[in-house]
Amino acid sequence: MFYSLLLVLAAVAVPGPECQTQCGGVEIQYPFGIGDSCSRAVAFNVSCLQVQDGAYKPFLALGVFELLNISLIDSTIRETNHISMYCYNSSSGFMESSTWSFDVSKSPFRFSDVHNKFTVIGCNTLAYIYDSAGKGYQSGCVSTCQNLTDLAEGSCSGLGCCQTAIPRGMGFYNVSFDGGFDTSQIWRFGRCSYAISMSAITARALQEGFVTTRKEGTGVLVKQDGNFPIKAIHATLILA
């Protein structure tokens, strides 16, 4: 089926010579394209936007998420994803939450259950991931540690970092934190908790830095085509 897919794409449409094929070092391969006339459909439109210092980067979803890679072989794309945070404010004495949801349910994409893990990082953290209605899929992950010396480099098994699988075919998720787990007593070395659906490999590399500091940021998410084998090691979305 993989070869059939490539043959169909080649036969149905080949972008014209006027179509830009790269942006920010990322190769934009059909069915994706920069502009309506260069892509297969609106869902595959890529915007090449200037971000800073004159640099350009590719974005899907009207410039919200940066596109990092397109792999026709693996039927996957990789893009950034917002990180949800739950941090103690030592000035106010209260916890402050900033959580994100992600909806691709009306697009051709689905979150890859092979590449992505729901990842929780923190020293007193319980976070949940659930579907749009909150009545279907729901899962959680707990992460604890007494001090930074507890952290095991490269490990994500509950000590400062926790990961759990997401279901196949998932197209929407919400994130929330359990208020019974806060960092008011450990804020001097770990005042923030983080949660994100992202590449399992990337999450481990972020573990120690996220526990010790508050970072506004993004992680890597992968989308994939569920009908074809997946070989990438980063987070992915699936072409349904």
Side-chain angles (χ1 to χ4, degrees):
M1 290 184 68
F2 162 68
Y3 291 106
S4 296
L5 172 67
L6 293 186
L7 289 173
V8 168
L9 291 179
V12 170
V14 176
E18 74 281 0
C19 292
Q20 185 176 341
T21 58
Q22 284 199 358
C23 178
V26 177
E27 185 178 356
I28 309 302
Q29 305 174 70
Y30 189 84
F32 296 89
I34 300 175
D36 294 343
S37 60
C38 296
S39 65
R40 183 178 182 182
V42 173
F44 299 95
N45 282 359
V46 176
S47 299
C48 189
L49 304 178
Q50 187 173 6
V51 289
Q52 59 184 2
D53 300 327
Y56 284 82
K57 291 185 177 181
F59 291 85
L60 287 177
L62 301 178
V64 177
F65 299 109
E66 181 186 347
L67 180 62
L68 303 175
N69 175 262
I70 298 170
S71 174
L72 297 184
I73 293 178
D74 296 325
S75 298
T76 65
I77 64 171
R78 291 194 303 129
E79 63 179 18
T80 57
N81 185 15
H82 288 299
I83 299 170
S84 295
M85 300 184 297
Y86 189 45
C87 297
Y88 178 70
N89 186 323
S90 58
S91 297
S92 67
F94 293 101
M95 295 294 296
E96 298 177 348
S97 178
S98 174
T99 59
W100 295 89
S101 62
F102 200 164
D103 186 3
V104 295
S105 60
K106 296 180 180 179
S107 79
F109 307 108
R110 292 298 179 264
F111 302 114
S112 170
D113 60 308
V114 175
H115 300 84
N116 300 316
K117 300 288 186 183
F118 178 57
T119 302
V120 173
I121 299 174
C123 280
N124 189 34
T125 307
L126 172 57
Y128 303 101
I129 182 172
Y130 51 95
D131 64 16
S132 57
K135 298 179 180 179
Y137 169 76
Q138 182 171 353
S139 186
C141 214
V142 62
S143 171
T144 62
C145 59
Q146 296 299 314
N147 52 63
L148 295 184
T149 59
D150 287 342
L151 302 180
E153 184 178 354
S155 173
C156 196
S157 56
L159 201 58
C161 181
C162 174
Q163 291 181 330
T164 188
I166 64 172
R168 183 179 178 86
M170 191 175 191
F172 182 98
Y173 75 81
N174 275 312
V175 172
S176 66
F177 293 92
D178 192 313
F181 288 71
D182 65 53
T183 56
S184 59
Q185 302 302 310
I186 59 170
W187 66 272
R188 294 186 184 277
F189 72 88
R191 72 187 189 91
C192 287
S193 299
Y194 302 88
I196 185 174
S197 180
M198 66 183 299
S199 159
I201 302 298
T202 306
R204 292 172 193 159
L206 298 176
Q207 176 186 354
E208 185 171 349
F210 276 152
V211 170
T212 57
T213 63
R214 173 172 179 161
K215 293 184 179 180
E216 301 282 349
T218 56
V220 179
L221 176 70
V222 184
K223 305 175 183 179
Q224 81 190 40
D225 189 321
N227 299 319
F228 298 93
I230 304 162
K231 301 176 183 177
I233 59 173
H234 295 288
T236 311
L237 269 174
I238 308 171
L239 288 175

